[in-house]
Amino acid sequence: MTHKEIIIKWFRQIEGIRKASKIVANTLKMIEAYIKPGVSTEELDHICNLYIKRNWWKSACIWYYQYPKYTCISLNDTICHGIPSKNEILKEWDILNIDVTVIVDWYFGDTSRMYTVWKIIPKAKTLVEVTKKCLEIWIKQVKPWNKTWNIGYEISKYAEAMGFSVVREYTGHGVWIHLHEEPYIFHKSNKNTGVIMKPWMIFTIEPMINVWDYKTKTLWDWWTVKTLDGSLSAQFEHTILVTEKGYEILTLPD
Ligand code: MF3
Ligand code: CO
Ligand code: CO
């Protein structure tokens, strides 16, 4: 392959991921109107899937290592990979994360955000705000020639100063040919470690922040990850492109 052909292939890849990222971001925006007491997480999953499967878009979650649903919906003390269920009914005071991943023309997009159900207890409000604010902290670290794990260094410094803890086991990940590939981004790490960021790298950043301890447990369904101590957990995820000057957040809605 000539240099020119490689550049064209990269350009197409980035355009494809950009399109898939837009779709997942718009799915999260669309679903907001359906979040209310009495709705089951399975219904939310179904609505997201109906939205995604118009055209030829496809959820990248279903059957991913036997995962049985189209999205991940994680309530309260569930950290991530919550399996939507008809028996799980939203009620006032719940906080939840919806994580949407699609594959469009073989390109992936991956994003998640928190929602609240009408009312929120003060501690949960602070948790969600701090987790959201992590974005402002880590985005400053996304620039060419910086080391990837400075992202986790800054996230953990901030979240821990606010009295919360950072989940260790689940990381951000490169998105390119595969949904999960190098570089993996730890959300707690040492300064100036990891790999050097270069223009046109694409990866997710998806910190999971707990009110008490960072330890986790996985349920017998093989997927649902909860806080070990039962405390609340929050997460926001974006897919990011490193550019020549800095970054572009690909998973912003229209
Ligand atoms: N969206 C998840 C992530 O952020 C991956 C979910 S895989 C699934 O990496 F199988 F659980 F859906
Ligand atoms: Co991800
Ligand atoms: Co995700």
Side-chain angles (χ1 to χ4, degrees), residues 66-209:
Q66 327 288 329
Y67 186 78
K69 293 284 176 178
Y70 299 95
T71 62
C72 297
I73 305 186
S74 305
L75 260 66
N76 302 321
D77 64 333
T78 301
I79 296 169
C80 62
H81 304 163
I83 303 177
S85 156
K86 64 179 186 322
N87 301 321
E88 192 169 53
I89 313 288
L90 295 193
K91 50 188 189 321
E92 283 180 5
W93 311 103
D94 281 340
I95 61 169
L96 62 149
N97 173 280
I98 304 186
D99 192 335
V100 178
T101 312
V102 296
I103 179 160
V104 175
D105 307 330
W106 300 105
Y107 303 112
F108 294 101
D110 187 9
T111 186
S112 83
R113 57 160 279 197
M114 297 301 294
Y115 302 86
T116 59
V117 189
W118 290 4
K119 293 184 180 145
I120 183 159
I121 61 168
K123 195 71 183 174
K125 187 159 186 272
T126 315
L127 173 71
V128 171
E129 281 168 2
V130 165
T131 311
K132 191 164 189 188
K133 194 150 187 276
C134 283
L135 180 105
E136 290 162 38
I137 310 273
W138 59 248
I139 206 69
K140 296 201 185 91
Q141 297 301 317
V142 183
K143 53 193 167 201
W145 324 119
N146 193 13
K147 289 273 189 86
T148 44
W149 295 353
N150 282 336
I151 294 167
Y153 174 77
E154 294 296 332
I155 288 172
S156 56
K157 199 169 78 176
Y158 168 65
E160 287 169 5
M162 298 306 289
F164 298 126
S165 68
V166 180
V167 172
R168 315 290 205 251
E169 292 98 319
Y170 304 91
T171 64
H173 47 91
V175 177
W176 194 250
I177 305 295
H178 305 284
L179 170 61
H180 294 120
E181 59 174 74
E182 297 280 356
Y184 292 96
I185 312 286
F186 289 92
H187 302 112
K188 179 176 169 70
S189 43
N190 294 326
K191 205 172 166 66
N192 289 327
T193 53
V195 299
I196 291 169
M197 288 180 243
K198 297 199 177 123
W200 323 128
M201 267 186 179
I202 300 180
F203 49 78
T204 73
I205 304 178
E206 43 183 304
M208 286 143 262
I209 309 293

Side-chain angles (χ1 to χ4, degrees), residues 204-219:
T204 73
I205 304 178
E206 43 183 304
M208 286 143 262
I209 309 293
N210 297 351
V211 166
W212 295 326
D213 199 81
Y214 60 83
K215 290 195 202 72
T216 68
K217 65 173 177 224
T218 305
L219 301 191

Side-chain angles (χ1 to χ4, degrees), residues 227-247:
T227 58
L228 187 63
D229 58 19
S231 72
L232 293 174
S233 186
Q235 178 182 31
F236 286 83
E237 172 178 27
H238 277 298
T239 304
I240 316 291
L241 168 71
V242 182
T243 61
E244 278 164 315
K245 295 223 174 71
Y247 65 86

